[in-house]
Amino acid sequence: MVAAAFIGPGTVTTASVTGARFGYALIWTIAFSMVATIVLQEMSARLGLVSREGLGEALRGQFDNPVASALSVALVVSAIGIGTAAYETGNIFGGAAGLEGLTGISANLWGPAMGLIAGALLWTGKYDLIEKALVALVSLMALSFLVDATIIGPDLGALAMGFVPSVPEGSTFLITGLIGTTVVGYNLFLHAGSVQERWAGPDELGESRVDTVLSILVGGFITIAILVTAAAAFPVGTSIENVSTMAEQIEPLVGTHAKVLFGIGLFAAGFTSATTAPLAGAYATAGALGWDTDLRSTKFRAVWGTILAVGIVFSALGYSPVQAILFAQVANGILLPILAVFLIYVMNDRDILGSYANSTLQNVVGGAVTLVVIWLGLRTLYTVAGDLGVF
């Protein structure tokens, strides 16, 4: 579920642009992001598994002051609820672009169809069915991008050197982007809620941890494969204007098979994110507002249905809600560091977690990750402020 959520069209875009422009030099960023994501997602999963509460419920319950509680709820609902709705258009349109490249049928037609299928899957309210569908699509995505990277023939020496940290001139923005597409705030809500559907309690914490690590490793290797494909296909310094055309761009270099595989991978990335983003928004919003987070509850369905409907309508119109995405960037830039700090705080609450609270080592590692997340949030705000002409 988590791997499906963070490998979306945004990840495909960022990794492709990074590989084409800087070659293999920033692979280390993905490796770091995988470690950071494992640390935070393990805490989120442990919270949900032990306390049987989602992150939204825990956030709302930690504040005695009604003003602070109301502000925290408003921030979660705006950043996660509205944010996932804004990004949903990109998820649907990205997956539809992959299908357009494969079939020649307009993405404006594929988008609504894909959104309706995602809605039908979520409407079943059957966690096992949703998870199996996502596992199949993530497997398809992994196969497509990994085979593509193999076909295109990467420079193994340069690939190995990419794990050595370096910051080429002009790469800071893309480093931020690679981390930001992996360490995702709404995934913390999604994970804390979804583990309660899959596992019965803390006795199964070991299995949950293995699942978390393996899932994030799979997602990370998919991202690396996308970056490697672009790095091997283009001279360093190449600018990719539109990732949906990358399949056409690599076809003359490595043949039709690579084009088809890239299109399939882009579709799978879009569909999985188009399914998980509304689900994450529903877990966050319902939990923060104190609503039932059962997959079949009316209010829960209303939240994910609204998020999905926004994506379907805008994708059908071919419209990108720039201002909504800009707002989501600002809100998430503020929220992600707050969530990381709060997560570590609540993971030390022995009244909730007892012996499953954080150890000293977990706090130290989590603190280091949080400092990077704070930098990421500040960088996002700086970037958005620049786009708005503030400075």
Side-chain angles (χ1 to χ4, degrees):
M1 187 79 76
V2 173
F6 78 75
I7 304 295
T11 303
V12 178
T13 300
T14 305
S16 297
V17 170
T18 301
R21 186 171 175 188
F22 293 104
Y24 305 94
L26 298 182
I27 287 178
W28 66 269
T29 305
I30 302 173
F32 166 79
S33 299
M34 290 160 67
V35 174
T37 303
I38 287 171
V39 170
L40 294 179
Q41 295 294 159
E42 186 279 332
M43 290 186 193
S44 179
R46 183 158 30 109
L47 173 66
L49 204 59
V50 175
S51 71
R52 310 309 291 177
E53 286 187 347
L55 188 55
E57 294 96 319
L59 185 64
R60 180 170 46 85
Q62 286 292 314
F63 297 101
D64 294 327
N65 186 308
V67 175
S69 180
L71 286 174
S72 68
V73 169
L75 187 58
V76 168
V77 172
S78 61
I80 304 298
I82 298 175
T84 50
Y87 291 128
E88 184 68 357
T89 300
N91 292 332
I92 292 177
F93 208 73
L99 290 175
E100 180 179 17
L102 293 171
T103 66
I105 299 172
S106 172
N108 295 117
L109 297 176
W110 276 121
M114 198 172 73
L116 291 172
I117 293 171
L121 179 62
L122 291 175
W123 185 264
T124 65
K126 297 178 180 179
Y127 178 84
D128 288 345
L129 177 62
I130 296 169
E131 185 181 56
K132 286 176 182 176
L134 293 175
V135 166
L137 285 168
V138 168
S139 300
L140 179 64
M141 190 190 340
L143 179 65
S144 299
F145 286 129
L146 290 171
V147 171
D148 232 352
T150 303
I151 290 175
I152 210 162
D155 181 334
L156 296 181
L159 175 59
M161 288 302 297
F163 287 93
V164 179
S166 64
V167 184
E169 185 177 352
S171 66
T172 307
F173 179 76
L174 287 173
I175 290 173
T176 305
L178 284 172
I179 296 173
T181 58
T182 309
V183 187
V184 182
Y186 68 68
N187 262 353
L188 300 176
F189 292 90
L190 177 64
H191 207 175
S194 63
V195 292
Q196 298 176 49
E197 301 284 346
R198 183 168 182 182
W199 289 290
D203 290 344
E204 298 177 289
L205 184 57
E207 185 179 341
S208 171
R209 282 173 170 156
V210 171
D211 179 80
T212 297
V213 172
L214 290 179
S215 298
I216 293 168
L217 288 177
V218 168
F221 283 124
I222 291 173
T223 307
I224 290 174
I226 297 166
L227 187 151
V228 165
T229 299
F234 304 106
V236 173
T238 301
S239 294
I240 297 176
E241 299 298 330
N242 187 347
V243 74
S244 65
T245 66
M246 184 171 165
E248 282 74 20
Q249 290 175 289
I250 65 176
E251 184 178 17
L253 301 172
V254 290
T256 304
H257 293 305
K259 173 187 174 180
V260 171
L261 287 169
F262 193 88
I264 292 172
L266 183 57
F267 154 69
F271 187 87
T272 54
S273 291
T275 304
T276 52
L279 200 55
Y283 273 123
T285 302
L289 294 174
W291 297 346
D292 188 359
T293 55
D294 183 88
L295 291 175
R296 299 184 183 186
S297 73
T298 301
K299 290 181 179 178
F300 191 86
R301 281 174 166 169
V303 175
W304 66 249
T306 301
I307 293 169
L308 191 58
V310 170
I312 291 172
V313 171
F314 284 152
S315 67
L317 297 174
Y319 172 71
S320 178
V322 176
Q323 293 303 317
I325 290 174
L326 198 61
F327 170 80
Q329 286 179 322
V330 174
N332 280 295
I334 297 170
L335 183 63
L336 185 56
I338 294 173
L339 284 179
V341 171
F342 172 76
L343 184 60
I344 293 177
Y345 172 76
V346 78
M347 293 309 294
N348 284 276
D349 189 337
R350 294 191 176 276
D351 289 338
I352 296 176
L353 296 166
S355 61
Y356 295 99
N358 271 4
S359 65
T360 301
L361 178 60
Q362 287 170 322
N363 282 329
V364 170
V365 175
V369 169
T370 300
L371 289 176
V372 176
V373 167
I374 290 172
W375 169 78
L376 174 64
L378 292 174
R379 179 70 189 180
T380 300
L381 294 176
Y382 177 84
T383 301
V384 171
D387 292 340
L388 292 173
V390 175
F391 47 77

